[in-house]
């Protein structure tokens, strides 16, 4: 396992923080030197087992950071007195690969007990998911604490639906000082992975209550979607978010220009005049997309709120709470 002699000198006491501390690169250089190597190693193994897990893990950071900051609250399981974010409308039956985070945490706890936060794991794992899928690599700023609670309601009040249009997405991102360019660039996370038929049935058969399909869908692409997601289909069936779902590239934007966006919330980025120019740029210049994506990820990773925190030893439960009290769903 990943145990090192100096680990005996680490303090295993719970770390609490009332105010968000400044994040910085190399935060674990002295307290857990192999931290980033461990995360990357587990992510590589997860990729070999199931390539789709990279996209799944990357999305966890998005769904965590937008709800009360990047604090690992998304990872908490429900308890008898708390319904967490996993039960939120945008997460239930959608987010996956939590077991990869568990595997990373177990390896880190073996090497450096009570040192690396679950919130930082999400940020590191998201970066590695992008890099291992062929996208950019970058230096992340670390030092986050884990929340002591989670809230389904908070997530439901923030996270957008697949039906969202560009205007609502722009307004949402503006709440977090993220620009229109950040919105379009971060939407490029859909360069990899899949989504459920559940998310597009309205686009195919009843866009805006019209009883008709979304007219912005390219006709041949709509036929493919109709075959994938016919009326009466198991809506958990999945389809690729772009034409190269295992490669992090700018194909996502090329597909939007061609009317082949899978989700309404993606295709609206091209139909809206405020976001369309960035879609065009990124569809033609992958390097520009990569640069903007990294800038957006760094800004999103800075989202923090003043609240009590700790370093969880198990990402699914706050310290001191027996695991066997958790409710199963």
């Amino acid at each position: 396992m990943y145990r090192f002699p100096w680990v005996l000198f680490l303090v295993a006491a719970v770390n609490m923080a009332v105010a968000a501390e400044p994040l910085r690169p190399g935060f674990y250089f002295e307290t857990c030197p192999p931290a980033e190597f461990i995360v990357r190693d587990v992510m590589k193994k997860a990729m070999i087992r199931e390539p789709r897990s990279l996209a799944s893990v990357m999305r966890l950071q998005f769904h965590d950071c937008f709800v009360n900051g990047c604090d690992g609250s998304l990872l908490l399981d429900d308890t008898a007195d708390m319904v967490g974010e996993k039960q939120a409308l945008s997460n239930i039956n959608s987010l996956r690969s939590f077991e990869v985070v568990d595997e990373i945490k177990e390896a880190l706890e073996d090497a450096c007990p009570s040192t690396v936060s679950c919130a930082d794991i999400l940020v590191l794992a998201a970066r590695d998911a992008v890099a291992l899928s062929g996208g950019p690599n970058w230096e992340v700023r670390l030092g986050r604490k884990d929340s002591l609670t989670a809230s389904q309601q908070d997530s439901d009040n923030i996270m957008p639906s697949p039906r969202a249009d560009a205007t609502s997405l722009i307004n949402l991102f503006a709440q977090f000082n993220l620009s229109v360019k950040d919105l379009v660039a971060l939407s490029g996370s859909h360069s990899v992975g899949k989504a459920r038929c559940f998310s597009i049935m309205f686009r195919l058969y009843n866009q805006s209550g019209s009883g008709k399909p979304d007219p912005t869908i390219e006709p041949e692409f709509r036929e493919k979607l109709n075959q994938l997601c016919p009326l009466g289909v198991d809506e958990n069936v999945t389809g690729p978010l772009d034409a190269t779902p295992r490669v992090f590239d700018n194909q996502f934007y090329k597909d939007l220009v061609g009317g082949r966006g899978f989700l309404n919330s993606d295709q609206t980025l091209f139909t809206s005049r405020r976001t369309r120019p960035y879609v065009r740029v990124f569809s033609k210049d992958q390097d520009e997309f990569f640069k903007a994506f990294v800038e957006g990820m760094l800004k999103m990773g800075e989202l923090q709120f003043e609240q009590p925190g700790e370093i969880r030893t198990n990402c699914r439960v706050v310290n001191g709470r027996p695991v066997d009290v958790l409710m199963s769903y």
Side-chain angles (χ1 to χ4, degrees):
M1 302 296 287
Y2 297 101
R3 189 170 294 283
F4 295 82
W6 43 264
V7 78
L8 299 175
F9 296 97
L10 295 176
V11 178
V14 173
N15 295 295
M16 303 293 292
V18 174
E21 299 177 3
L23 306 176
R24 57 182 172 81
F27 184 85
Y28 299 109
F29 181 76
E30 294 183 356
T31 57
C32 189
E36 296 195 33
F37 166 81
I38 290 172
V39 176
R40 180 68 64 101
D41 185 56
V42 174
M43 289 294 291
K44 286 180 179 177
K45 293 175 181 176
M47 176 182 67
I48 293 171
R49 289 196 305 266
E50 185 194 12
R52 186 185 170 195
S53 65
L54 295 183
S56 300
V57 171
M58 175 176 59
R59 294 212 177 92
L60 297 180
Q61 182 188 344
F62 285 75
H63 288 246
D64 184 49
C65 289
F66 275 100
V67 182
N68 299 322
C70 308
D71 61 0
S73 57
L74 174 69
L75 302 174
L76 288 172
D77 285 342
D78 293 356
T79 68
D81 55 4
M82 182 198 76
V83 180
E85 295 164 31
K86 291 179 180 178
Q87 301 300 315
L89 293 175
S90 61
N91 300 338
I92 192 170
N93 296 325
S94 178
L95 294 185
R96 56 197 299 279
S97 295
F98 291 103
E99 71 279 358
V100 177
V101 178
D102 294 336
E103 187 177 350
I104 294 171
K105 184 58 174 174
E106 182 178 356
L108 287 167
E109 284 298 306
D110 184 71
C112 322
S114 302
T115 302
V116 181
S117 70
C118 300
D120 278 345
I121 288 174
L122 289 181
V123 172
L124 287 166
R127 185 272 308 273
D128 291 348
V130 173
L132 291 171
S133 301
N137 195 11
W138 65 94
E139 188 175 52
V140 295
R141 295 188 280 267
L142 303 169
R144 298 165 187 81
K145 294 294 192 299
D146 297 322
S147 71
L148 305 182
T149 188
S151 169
Q152 174 190 1
Q153 183 176 358
D154 287 351
S155 182
D156 283 338
N157 289 340
I158 288 290
M159 295 305 297
S161 120
R163 302 188 181 206
D165 60 19
T167 298
S168 63
L169 293 172
I170 289 170
N171 292 338
L172 170 63
F173 273 59
Q175 293 180 40
F176 302 102
N177 294 319
L178 294 169
S179 67
V180 174
K181 182 179 180 181
D182 294 328
L183 162 63
V184 179
L186 289 173
S187 296
S189 63
H190 288 172
S191 168
V192 289
K194 298 180 178 182
R196 296 181 297 155
C197 287
F198 171 82
S199 300
I200 64 168
M201 296 302 286
F202 72 97
R203 286 194 78 199
L204 295 178
Y205 304 107
N206 191 29
Q207 178 77 335
S208 301
S210 66
K212 299 178 181 180
D214 180 352
T216 67
I217 306 176
E218 192 273 328
E220 290 187 8
F221 183 63
R222 187 176 70 239
E223 289 183 11
K224 291 181 179 179
L225 293 181
N226 286 338
Q227 293 175 9
L228 176 71
C229 306
L231 287 170
V233 72
D234 175 359
E235 295 187 2
N236 287 317
V237 169
T238 59
L241 285 166
D242 78 353
T244 56
R246 292 189 178 184
V247 181
F248 192 95
D249 55 17
N250 68 336
Q251 182 63 46
F252 170 76
Y253 299 101
K254 295 177 182 179
D255 288 348
L256 297 186
V257 172
R260 297 184 298 275
F262 190 86
L263 299 176
N264 186 80
S265 54
D266 288 339
Q267 191 59 53
T268 188
L269 299 177
F270 187 69
T271 56
S272 168
R273 63 177 181 80
R274 294 183 64 185
T275 49
R276 186 185 303 123
Y278 293 111
V279 173
R280 289 195 182 278
V281 169
F282 297 156
S283 72
K284 297 175 182 178
D285 190 336
Q286 181 166 279
D287 289 340
E288 186 63 25
F289 161 48
F290 282 3
K291 179 182 176 182
F293 183 82
V294 171
E295 291 174 353
M297 289 293 282
L298 289 172
K299 290 172 68 174
M300 181 175 65
E302 297 281 347
L303 296 178
Q304 295 190 90
F305 293 83
E306 294 189 0
Q307 58 184 341
E310 65 180 7
I311 305 297
R312 287 187 220 134
T313 57
N314 178 340
C315 291
R316 293 176 179 265
V317 58
V318 298
N319 295 338
R321 179 184 290 272
V323 175
D324 61 3
V325 306
L326 299 180
M327 300 174 64
S328 59
Y329 287 83

